[in-house]
Amino acid sequence: MSKPFVDVSQNGTLKNYDSCSSSVAELDDIDFSRIPRPRNLNIERKGSLDERSFSEAQMMGNSPPPPSRAEYYSRGSDHFDTVHSPAKWSGFTTPRSPFGAEPHPMIAEAWEALRRSLVYFRGRPVGTIAALDSSDEKLNYDQVFVRDFVPSALAYLMNGEPEIVRNFILKTLRLQSWEKKIDRFQLGEGVMPASFKVLHDPVRNTETLMADFGESAIGRVAPIDSGFWWIILLRAYTKSTGDTSLSEMPECQKGMRLILSLCLSEGFDTFPTLLCADGCCMIDRRMGVYGYPIEIQALFFMALRCALLLLKQDAEGKEFIERIVKRLHALSYHMRTYFWLDLKQVNDIYRYKTEEYSHTAVNKFNVIPDSLPEWVFDFMPLHGGYFIGNVGPSNMDFRWFCLGNCIAILSCLATPEQETKIMDLIESRWHELVGEMPLKVCYPAIEGHEWRIVTGCDPKNTRWSYHNGGSWPVLLWLLTAACIKTGRPQIARRAIELAETRLSKDGWPEYYDGKLGRFIGKQARKHQTWSIAGYLVAKMMLEDPSHAGMVALEEDKQLKPVLKRSNSF
């Protein structure tokens, strides 16, 4: 199917063109002159966007000076309402730690690679390509992906270079307004693209954007997570710079409302979670995550909380704020109750009765005890727990998914007790979840007949490879942020030191294969941008924990933890 091109006429009207059109006009950029530049971007930053409770829903004032590194680590998540971004790091030169430690030599190499991955549109940087590897067919690795750009954006924000992030936010916002059709079927108005690329016409000396909303993706699945990451990144930009002018633009406010409209619409669902197709998130191939995958639910929860901070208190904003508050309460209860698994819960499921009817049922989803996999009995430590991969009628996916659990910590979807248990699990099952190269995207791998049925015999998702138990270095930044928030930086430090023994030498691969992550992925791209950026963000967060405030939210006192576990299912 041909991809649409976009053009903006002199009066600002959007036009769509088919890729086979004989004339393709140039896309005029947004008029940046009317957008106030960020204030106090470097050392003397003031007034970053502080957190608020659901009942407050308003912007707060300036924050006091940040405490020392030791104070940050000792205070855990209590400090995220007073986060500042300190002095910028240098790029090509090797930056020094703000706390006096000598930087690792990989940092300068990573920064140089990250800068080489920049994509420009009409002279302005608008993102980073997925990989710089030219050894194989590019496929879509030469495009700017929304989810892939997030760690790159955080790295530039932490380095005091927010311009590229603002350009990206505005450019993807403009792409959101495209008419999106796949095989004559029109997608929702709020859908954000999975990726985009810049096409250069040397003859006409023009540049044109080409976006992919899923019509060219493997499996033709629209990305549900792109809109969530966009909102999360907008909040990270605002938090980092202290500049609210971008999020307060009518276009950004409308963009958020369009995304939220897709997610908050009422239908046939009896659960507050989002019903999703397989391949709609980081696990972007068939892996049996359809239904209510933990990654999407955690990102949904975090995006709702970020939107609550960013939406203006006008008539339209207040309407969405009310809907968000109601959904957050329902979603937090549902996830904390039904998606949570620890040793007690395993024992409860083991003793379930089935075919229970009415609201008095304990086994609410009619989960058959025999569906408990053998591995989970040995995997679950005495002290520990995690959010499982999926819950649906007569079905529980007991697999561990790293991204969903880390986002659950950062968004406070997990209660403080659950946060502690997730970190306990990682420490107790280090060999399985980290091994020799951080970090398992999911555990365990599926194989044999189950693999053939669940993946459709996918040759890329063989056992302990790619999404099927592969090890992804990009997850380092999520683990590090979660460790800082829970006051367990030693876990992140250990994982980063492990990655530093091989990541650069191996050429910054996309992922690793094997039970322990010993082997470079058989189809992994080298010089993968988010592997590079994920390492940089993890290092910068560990050196200055205040950076974690861009992606870590404070616990909201209005969301009370679930007190009873007797009616878990």
Side-chain angles (χ1 to χ4, degrees):
M1 179 179 176
S2 61
K3 288 176 174 285
F5 289 97
V6 68
D7 178 36
V8 182
S9 63
Q10 295 299 319
N11 63 4
T13 304
L14 280 172
K15 300 177 181 179
N16 287 322
Y17 296 85
D18 190 81
S19 57
C20 62
S21 301
S22 58
S23 62
V24 179
E26 186 176 3
L27 174 64
D28 292 334
D29 213 341
I30 294 175
D31 183 7
F32 286 87
S33 63
R34 68 186 181 88
I35 306 172
R37 288 295 185 259
R39 300 177 290 277
N40 305 308
L41 292 180
N42 295 322
I43 300 176
E44 297 179 359
R45 296 188 182 174
K46 301 177 182 178
S48 58
L49 182 63
D50 292 329
E51 311 305 335
R52 63 186 178 197
S53 68
F54 296 160
S55 58
E56 293 168 347
Q58 60 186 354
M59 299 300 180
M60 305 295 289
N62 293 343
S63 303
S68 66
R69 176 167 60 176
E71 289 173 323
Y72 272 106
Y73 286 147
S74 64
R75 288 166 58 184
S77 63
D78 294 336
H79 67 274
F80 290 110
D81 61 339
T82 58
V83 171
H84 291 254
S85 294
K88 65 183 278 186
W89 290 37
S90 57
F92 290 106
T93 58
T94 303
R96 287 189 172 273
S97 162
F99 297 101
E102 283 298 321
H104 195 281
M106 278 173 55
I107 293 175
E109 176 191 342
W111 268 114
E112 183 177 359
L114 187 60
R115 295 196 186 283
R116 284 191 287 113
S117 72
L118 283 171
V119 173
Y120 291 83
F121 181 76
R122 294 181 60 83
R124 293 191 178 99
V126 293
T128 52
I129 61 173
L132 287 165
D133 189 355
S134 58
S135 60
D136 294 305
E137 182 186 357
K138 287 184 173 57
L139 293 177
N140 54 4
Y141 282 81
D142 62 344
Q143 298 185 23
V144 180
F145 281 81
V146 173
R147 77 170 68 96
D148 289 42
F149 179 67
V150 171
S152 296
L154 294 176
Y156 280 109
L157 287 173
M158 292 175 187
N159 202 42
E161 302 177 65
E163 190 74 17
I164 180 178
V165 182
R166 185 171 68 220
N167 294 346
F168 172 86
I169 288 171
L170 290 172
K171 194 55 59 187
T172 48
L173 182 65
R174 180 60 62 92
L175 296 175
Q176 183 196 38
S177 65
W178 281 17
E179 183 182 55
K180 300 172 278 286
K181 285 188 176 181
I182 299 179
D183 292 337
R184 302 183 180 183
F185 180 75
Q186 186 162 322
L187 276 69
E189 189 179 0
V191 173
M192 281 286 182
S195 63
F196 67 87
K197 68 184 300 182
V198 178
L199 297 181
H200 303 270
D201 186 343
V203 176
R204 303 181 62 182
N205 194 27
T206 60
E207 291 182 342
T208 310
L209 288 181
M210 184 171 68
D212 178 15
F213 292 91
E215 74 270 26
S216 297
I218 296 174
R220 302 301 188 266
V221 178
I224 294 180
D225 61 340
S226 289
F228 298 152
W229 280 122
W230 187 87
I231 293 175
I232 293 167
L233 186 57
L234 179 61
R235 183 260 176 189
Y237 171 91
T238 309
K239 183 76 173 178
S240 172
T241 63
D243 173 60
T244 61
S245 61
L246 178 62
S247 64
E248 290 176 353
M249 287 177 59
E251 295 88 344
C252 281
Q253 292 287 311
K254 180 182 178 183
M256 280 190 287
R257 293 196 300 268
L258 287 175
I259 295 170
L260 295 170
S261 293
L262 288 174
C263 309
L264 298 174
S265 59
E266 298 174 348
F268 289 97
D269 286 322
T270 57
F271 314 134
T273 43
L274 285 181
L275 184 61
C276 307
D278 221 340
C280 65
C281 52
M282 179 183 176
I283 311 293
D284 60 4
R285 293 164 78 101
R286 181 174 168 185
M287 271 290 290
V289 298
Y290 59 87
Y292 305 93
I294 178 60
E295 177 179 330
I296 290 298
Q297 313 313 321
L299 285 171
F300 179 35
F301 184 88
M302 188 165 189
L304 288 178
R305 290 207 60 197
C306 289
L308 196 62
L309 302 170
L310 299 170
L311 285 170
K312 297 175 70 174
Q313 292 279 356
D314 53 19
E316 291 178 299
K318 286 182 178 180
E319 176 189 350
F320 275 92
I321 288 172
E322 292 176 0
R323 295 169 67 185
I324 289 172
V325 170
K326 291 180 181 178
R327 191 62 168 265
L328 282 170
H329 279 281
L331 185 60
S332 62
Y333 175 84
H334 185 93
M335 297 298 296
R336 292 170 179 176
T337 306
Y338 305 132
F339 274 70
W340 180 252
L341 192 72
D342 54 20
L343 191 60
K344 179 185 180 304
Q345 193 67 4
V346 170
N347 192 64
D348 288 345
I349 297 171
Y350 182 72
R351 295 167 54 83
Y352 269 165
K353 295 179 180 179
T354 60
E355 306 300 327
E356 294 183 299
Y357 180 72
S358 89
H359 65 277
T360 60
V362 175
N363 185 3
K364 294 183 180 180
F365 290 92
N366 197 38
V367 175
I368 310 300
D370 286 346
S371 68
L372 273 166
E374 289 294 327
W375 63 265
V376 81
F377 294 99
D378 296 325
F379 179 71
M380 185 62 70
L382 183 62
H383 303 288
Y386 63 101
F387 287 98
I388 61 176
N390 217 323
V391 173
S394 299
N395 178 54
M396 293 180 69
D397 184 349
F398 292 94
R399 286 176 294 176
W400 150 273
F401 287 89
C402 180
L403 193 151
N405 276 273
C406 286
I407 292 294
I409 290 175
L410 297 176
S411 65
C412 292
L413 172 59
T415 66
E417 179 188 4
Q418 289 171 339
E419 291 178 359
T420 299
K421 287 191 173 185
I422 292 172
M423 302 311 297
D424 288 344
L425 176 84
I426 294 173
E427 280 196 308
S428 299
R429 296 293 175 254
W430 187 266
H431 184 77
E432 292 89 343
L433 301 181
V434 180
E436 296 184 16
M437 176 54 67
L439 191 66
K440 287 295 179 195
V441 67
C442 72
Y443 180 88
I446 53 178
E447 49 190 317
H449 180 68
E450 184 184 13
W451 168 79
R452 287 188 286 272
I453 297 298
V454 172
T455 73
C457 300
D458 187 348
K460 196 168 185 178
N461 271 331
T462 54
R463 63 177 184 173
W464 307 114
S465 179
Y466 202 50
H467 297 312
N468 190 12
S471 299
W472 292 70
V474 65
L475 297 170
L476 273 173
W477 80 264
L478 285 154
L479 174 66
T480 302
C483 288
I484 292 171
K485 185 175 185 294
T486 55
R488 310 274 282 271
Q490 71 279 2
I491 298 177
R493 187 177 295 110
R494 182 182 176 190
I496 292 171
E497 289 174 354
L498 197 59
E500 287 176 337
T501 62
R502 293 184 54 193
L503 198 52
S504 173
K505 295 176 184 177
D506 293 341
W508 306 93
E510 180 183 14
Y511 63 94
Y512 286 79
D513 285 354
K515 264 192 175 184
L516 300 178
R518 285 182 174 178
F519 310 103
I520 299 174
K522 57 187 174 182
Q523 295 189 47
R525 292 297 193 274
K526 296 288 189 71
H527 307 287
Q528 186 80 16
T529 303
W530 71 351
S531 296
I532 295 166
Y535 166 74
L536 282 174
V537 171
K539 287 290 284 189
M540 286 191 279
M541 281 186 181
L542 202 58
E543 290 296 335
D544 185 352
S546 70
H547 288 312
M550 296 185 198
V551 290
L553 302 175
E554 272 195 286
E555 181 185 7
D556 194 291
K557 306 303 181 183
Q558 302 295 319
L559 287 179
K560 295 181 180 179
V562 177
L563 299 178
K564 296 182 179 180
R565 300 302 305 272
S566 59
N567 292 330
S568 291
F569 284 86

